[in-house]
Amino acid sequence: MRPYKISGFKRSFGLIFIAAAVVAVGSVWYWNLITERLAQDARVSIVAGSRELALDFDRLLGAQLQVLASIGVSLEQSPLLQQPARLTEYLNRQNKRNVFTLTGFQFTDGKALFSNGAVLRHFLSKAEVEEAFEHSRYVSERKKNPFDDSAMLVFAIPLRRDGKRLGVVFGVQAVDAYETALAGATLPDGGLSFIIKPDGNVVMGYPQVAYQNIFNLGTQARFDGDLSAEKLHQDMQNGRSGLTGYTLNGSHRFSSYYPLGYNGWYALSVLPTASMAEKAQSLMLMSLVLCFSIIGVLGILLIFILRMQYQNSRALFRLGFVDPLTGADNLNAFRLKFPKAADAFRARGVPFALTVINVNSFKAVNDIYGFEVGDQILRQVAQALQGALEEGELFCRSGADVFLLLLACPDRAQLERRVDRLALQAGRFCRAGGEDCLPMSLTCGMYLVDEEVPFYIMMDRANLAWAAAKQRAGRTCAFYDEADRRQIVTEKRIESSMDQALEKGEFQLYLQPKCDFKTGKIKSAEALVRWKHPVRGLIPPDSFIPVFEKNGFVLKLDQFILQQTAALLKQWKEQGLEQVPVGVNFSRLHLDDPHFIDTLVQTVDRAGVEHRLLEVELTESVVFGHVERMKQVIDGLHEKGFSVAMDDFGSGYSSLNVLKNLYFDCVKFDKEFLASGEGNPRMRQIIAGAVKMIKELSCSIVAEGVETQEQADFLSGIGCDLAQGYFFSKPLPAAEFTQRLEKNQSRA
Ligand code: C2E
Ligand code: CA
Ligand code: CA
């Protein structure tokens, strides 16, 4: 199981990649769009450029002709034409005011007077003069200035008087002077502007180029689409404007042409697309830089978000699947991993067991040594258990001091030995430093998974096995079996109904006589509880007292039996019967109650019963390990006048030595202990010896479980004082016992 999904990362980077791809495709599209747009713009501006250039030139040429026309008007009726010297002077004056470099007049005989005083013959050819008269104006081609060899244009206006030709007024303008106008119309970024003739010869251009015929150039050019030099030529022949695109010397250009109103000239604008591409490229570059910066920023943002997500998911994972104390898996992780691990065992054909391990009395360790030591112990136990895992096995800490394991179980006995060993190892706790070892005991419950049941049922079964192991003293682990389950179910049923049973009076007092061996007369009695269950009938105390001892309810029940006993004693007194002492059983749990004796006194006193009539029966197992407390209690009871009996002597650990230190008034021999003497002479000797020694401590002896005459004979023979057993009487309901007591006494 991973704390987070790598695929999340992959997906996000996939997204970034897709975004980059989209941007790349978008850029290509954008590039095309921009190029197309710029080309469009270029076409529009170049068309506008040539048109404007044409119009500007038309205006300019028109204005210059106008200047000549007004000179013409003033000369038409003037006598100056007959006075060459004055005419020259006049022309000179005019020339100073106008834009021409030279102003002049050419007579019909071909004599031309110039404002600078020069006189030339046929400055304008006959044909030129003819054209001027024909069109009432004349603009020359590019010509060589006869005075300084510079390039010039000549403008002329014809002059008539009374229908008779007088000559032409002309103006000379240097071609250079038009460069300003051309420059003004020139497009930026390497654009060119020309005034050309329809045959392609360049009249003027800017920037200055090696003047040649553009159709000569056109033959080297490769025209776009269906355009051609031919079409351009035709257009110009027919005075049409147009736009053409071509590639020359490896670079593409657009050129636009627009007719002027003079000489069939054309304004021609040329724009190399390379400059446009550069513009597009720089625009594109800017856009791309922008796009990729955005992607970069988004990427960084994404990485940041993913990092946060990763950290969050790790934190969540830790929260959900890791036990913070030991760093091991927690129950959630275990449950998630369990099905796969179980399947793997099944596939390998290896049986497996769900195992619950619990640290015994862990709460006490926490109370006595503090949580720090408690935590240290848990960590150590976890480490030991986890370290012992074999391939395919699982481990987790499922609760405070509870650990869960999935273990291979090739063989029950083998697993039991393994878990025993493991528990021993895991429980060997030493605090840091090495000294001060505190051995912990562990209890394990195992469920050999033999059925496909839900996980919680497996857990239930392992827990039941654990509870069974806990019950059986000296056992570390137990396997789940059906008997355990039934036992525990019964216990649960008992627990769930005990309080109600007490309230409803289902617990009843029975009394068993303790009799004189010889006469059989009732000398005293023992109070014994019975549960008259409405459904299950009479339940013997052995089935419920151990349960009540576990859950503490026995304290209430003993108190109830004590009250009943005291009431019965009171009743006997009232009936005028001779009261016999009654022994009441008290669980070892009362020893922990500091008010035990006080409560006892109160109860007995409330019924007005003499203390000597109550005998407190304490089982010998209580004595073991609690001699001091026992001594205190016995002394306390004696102080109040109660007598104390040691119950079940010989059933367990009791030693005669203990008896020397504890002043019991009576010792009750356990029926199993006595039964062990049956047909065993050596055991009989031991019993007899024990009786003798106890008698020396001035204790009386009650023999329990006397069932036969022989037993009675033997026991009375070795010196036992009283007999309690079926041979004399079974335990009787209180009323029946009272009747027996009456009979007993009346017989006497
Ligand atoms: P115990 O105190 O040793 O009580 C004597 C038990 O031996 C009684 O079992 C009694 O019925 C049984 N018994 C007496 N004579 C014979 C006989 O000849 N043969 C056989 N086979 N059994 C005989 P019971 O009444 O079932 O009680 C069992 C145990 O339950 C008692 O053992 C006692 O430890 C506990 N117990 C009974 N009543 C109470 C009570 O009110 N409070 C507490 N704390 N424990 C009680
Ligand atoms: Ca008893
Ligand atoms: Ca007993």
Side-chain angles (χ1 to χ4, degrees), residues 526 585 617 647 668 704:
E526 179 178 3
N585 294 289
E617 290 194 15
D647 204 355
K668 297 183 76 181
E704 288 188 314

Side-chain angles (χ1 to χ4, degrees), residues 199-202 211-221 223 229 232-233 248:
D199 60 7
N201 279 327
V202 174
Y211 295 110
Q212 49 190 309
N213 187 293
I214 62 139
F215 289 116
N216 292 346
L217 272 179
T219 52
Q220 297 157 34
F223 282 82
L232 185 63
H233 200 227
L248 182 66

